[in-house]
Amino acid sequence: MPMFRLSDRDAFAFDHIAPTSDRGRTLVCFNALSGDRGMWLSTIGDALQANGHGFLAWNYRGQPETEFSFNATSDSMIVDDAMALLEQENPVRPIHVGLSIGGLFAIRAQERAGAGRADAIVLLNTLRRAGPRLDWINRAVVRMAETGGLDLMRDLYSPLLMNEGWQGDNAANFLAPKTYEPLPANDGTLLLLKAGVGTGWNVNYEALDVPVLSITGLQDRVFRDPGDVDALSARIPNLTRVDLPGAGHMIPVEQPKELADALLAFVEKLG
């Protein structure tokens, strides 16, 4: 497992598989704050490689298989790390793919010059409007983690974030008798969740000058607001929209095959 080292105390795991086809592209995968690169590596990664494409996936500092020395992080630090990795790895014909807030990080990287530029962008359940509702949700997630750790957060939010099929398959693993324990103040996941509170969601969507694919899981009952998705979509000049009725918020986990098919169709359309 390769590690990208930023300093003697800061590093993160990553996987970079280059395309094997002359027309192959590299999908650069930006995680959600509470995710990790593992969600991209099996069904989705296998489908990409089977069609001659590659991928670059990594864990943000604070996620599993990382080392970090900071006491607080921010969205700009996450994008800085991504830029450093992109400059070193220089992926072939990149397409940025971001899940949830990862889509915002993908856009922020695209706004920068040089290695951050991609030929296209894919947003997975990213489109959301800055406002008191979003701010409340982000602060509530941090409060849950500080009060009862990730177990409390998953017990309360999973039926709202995940699709019904996933709920039926996994419900027995939740709401078990237990004493919830708060995350320590220096826990990496907690620090990343706190970074989400301070993230700015005002994006100049009109300035996106590459093709954009926006995929929405219609069973996402936390972040999806249909009116907001429609309004923000209308601001993106070259947009393809795909709605997945059977998916919630965590599309790579819930419907990896359907996601892989949508990604491959978009890549084929790009030529």
Side-chain angles (χ1 to χ4, degrees):
M1 175 190 63
M3 295 288 287
F4 182 79
R5 187 155 293 282
L6 294 154
S7 71
D8 59 349
R9 295 191 297 166
D10 294 85
F12 52 84
F14 74 97
D15 293 90
H16 185 187
I17 303 297
T20 55
S21 165
D22 292 340
R23 299 178 69 247
R25 295 181 177 272
T26 307
L27 274 69
V28 179
C29 304
F30 291 76
N31 298 329
L33 291 177
S34 58
D36 62 70
R37 77 191 197 288
M39 69 180 66
W40 309 102
L41 300 184
S42 53
T43 302
I44 298 167
D46 290 347
L48 292 173
Q49 292 181 78
N51 287 272
H53 304 294
F55 62 88
L56 174 61
W58 69 98
N59 289 349
Y60 304 146
R61 279 188 288 166
Q63 291 181 344
E65 298 178 306
T66 68
E67 303 168 20
F68 61 96
S69 59
F70 52 76
N71 294 316
T73 188
S74 65
D75 57 327
S76 60
M77 184 184 295
I78 293 169
V79 176
D80 288 344
D81 288 356
M83 292 295 295
L85 179 64
L86 288 167
E87 288 171 4
Q88 171 183 286
E89 294 299 301
N90 192 26
V92 175
R93 292 181 289 278
I95 298 174
H96 289 170
V97 181
L99 171 62
S100 190
I101 196 173
L104 179 63
F105 300 151
I107 293 172
R108 297 301 186 210
Q110 183 73 3
E111 291 171 344
R112 303 193 188 186
R117 295 288 297 175
D119 295 338
I121 297 174
V122 180
L123 306 175
L124 309 178
N125 284 326
T126 294
L127 296 178
R128 63 196 71 168
R129 179 176 59 86
R133 177 179 178 274
L134 180 59
D135 181 63
W136 192 323
I137 291 170
N138 290 336
R139 290 187 292 114
V141 167
V142 172
R143 179 64 61 87
M144 282 188 285
E146 290 176 324
T147 303
L150 297 182
D151 284 340
L152 177 60
M153 190 172 78
R154 291 165 179 153
D155 280 353
L156 294 179
Y157 265 27
S158 292
L160 301 175
L161 288 169
M162 311 300 282
N163 68 8
E164 188 168 326
W166 188 96
Q167 294 168 30
D169 291 340
N170 293 276
N173 300 323
F174 291 81
L175 295 173
K178 69 182 76 173
T179 300
Y180 293 111
E181 298 290 340
L183 290 180
N186 63 346
D187 180 86
T189 299
L190 179 58
L191 295 174
L192 287 168
L193 293 175
K194 287 183 176 180
V197 175
T199 297
W201 280 88
N202 292 312
V203 176
N204 184 8
Y205 290 106
E206 292 82 357
L208 292 175
D209 57 358
V210 297
V212 176
L213 170 64
S214 177
I215 302 179
T216 301
L218 299 187
Q219 294 188 41
D220 179 356
R221 295 176 175 85
V222 176
F223 293 105
R224 173 179 169 262
D225 182 296
D228 290 343
V229 172
D230 289 344
L232 296 173
S233 295
R235 296 172 53 191
I236 300 175
N238 186 358
L239 177 69
T240 299
R241 289 185 63 175
V242 172
D243 289 340
L244 294 179
H249 189 69
M250 299 296 287
I251 299 174
V253 175
E254 299 165 89
Q255 293 200 316
K257 183 183 183 302
E258 291 81 356
L259 174 57
D261 290 344
L263 293 174
L264 290 170
F266 181 62
V267 171
E268 183 66 24
K269 179 181 174 183
L270 292 176

